[in-house]
Amino acid sequence: MDEIKLLYKPENKPMRVAALISGTGTNMVALYEEQRRLEKSGEKTYGRVDMVFTNVPNCKGAERAKEFGIPVVSLSSKSFFDILQKNLDDNEAREFYDAASITLIEEACKPDLVVLAGYRRRLGSIFISRYENRILNIYPGDITKTYLVRGVEAPIQALRAGENTIKCTVFLAREEERFGPAIIQSNQISLEGLKEEDMKEIEEKIRKEGEWVIYPFAVHHLIAKGRVGIDNDDNIYIDGIKMPKEGYQFKIK
């Protein structure tokens, strides 16, 4: 039997979280709000957002973090690549940027978990290997669907495939794969009566019914409590039970 390693082993204190953002930071806000609820209840084991890193200085999410009293560190990716006179997708420059980002992050905290909360930069090998099996991301769709392609919003692809519901997925980041192993998926979110031109309404619905529910649950109630493990074949385990490729299926009680 393969050895199962916990993503995080609880130490009867908050798990240190670094949240990476590029825009409004609504998922970071959802994480922080659940953190505050747990703090007030006297809970000892949960995820604490110790710092926010952004590649877009003064983005709305960074301002929200400052309002919460969360330390914010920024390094403009645009300025960085302009100085190097490199394209934003240049692999060598990406590694330089990631190395600088890691240094800044770890000057602020030594994260147990890195949460990509709307971070619009592709991570390179240095970053992925530094935080192996500790980088969490979310996708507003079911990552197991075979019809998914890059560059088209997940709900639009779901509608075009004839789906009348959609699920969002929390997964581990990988360097060579678009999606790493799924940890948890949301409840089925209805798309009934909605069309492609209703994207703003659909996106808000997915955030409220999916992302803002399962991201805090994954961080605070699964990983921070030492409930999530992984084996050498990238199989995910919750409470020692091997999960299907879709991950844990969240149900609203």
Side-chain angles (χ1 to χ4, degrees), residues 112-125:
D112 299 306
L113 187 72
V114 174
V115 176
L116 306 182
Y119 186 62
R120 295 190 288 270
R121 285 290 309 158
R122 185 160 68 86
L123 300 175
S125 59

Side-chain angles (χ1 to χ4, degrees), residues 58-105:
N58 302 316
C59 64
K60 185 175 179 180
E63 296 306 312
R64 291 297 304 277
K66 291 173 185 176
E67 291 171 7
F68 298 147
I70 302 171
V72 176
V73 174
S74 62
L75 178 62
S76 170
S77 51
K78 183 180 184 306
S79 298
F80 190 94
F81 282 74
D82 283 349
I83 289 170
L84 292 180
Q85 297 183 329
K86 296 288 186 179
N87 184 280
L88 285 167
D89 292 321
D90 183 272
N91 286 327
E92 184 180 19
R94 177 184 291 113
E95 298 293 354
F96 291 148
Y97 180 83
D98 283 359
S101 301
I102 290 168
T103 298
L104 292 172
I105 289 168

Side-chain angles (χ1 to χ4, degrees), residues 18-61:
L20 275 56
I21 65 175
S22 298
T24 59
T26 57
N27 276 315
M28 177 274 296
V29 173
L31 291 177
Y32 179 75
E33 288 178 343
E34 179 64 1
Q35 169 192 325
R36 291 292 294 145
R37 188 187 73 79
L38 292 168
E39 287 173 343
K40 290 177 181 177
S41 73
E43 178 65 62
K44 295 290 189 294
T45 307
Y46 56 88
R48 183 182 63 210
V49 182
D50 275 2
M51 65 89 63
V52 164
F53 175 85
T54 180
N55 67 314
V56 183
N58 302 316
C59 64
K60 185 175 179 180

Side-chain angles (χ1 to χ4, degrees), residues 209-228:
E209 296 181 26
E211 294 184 11
W212 298 345
V213 176
I214 64 167
Y215 226 1
F217 184 81
V219 171
H220 298 298
H221 301 280
L222 292 181
I223 298 173
K225 288 181 167 45
R227 298 177 61 190
V228 185

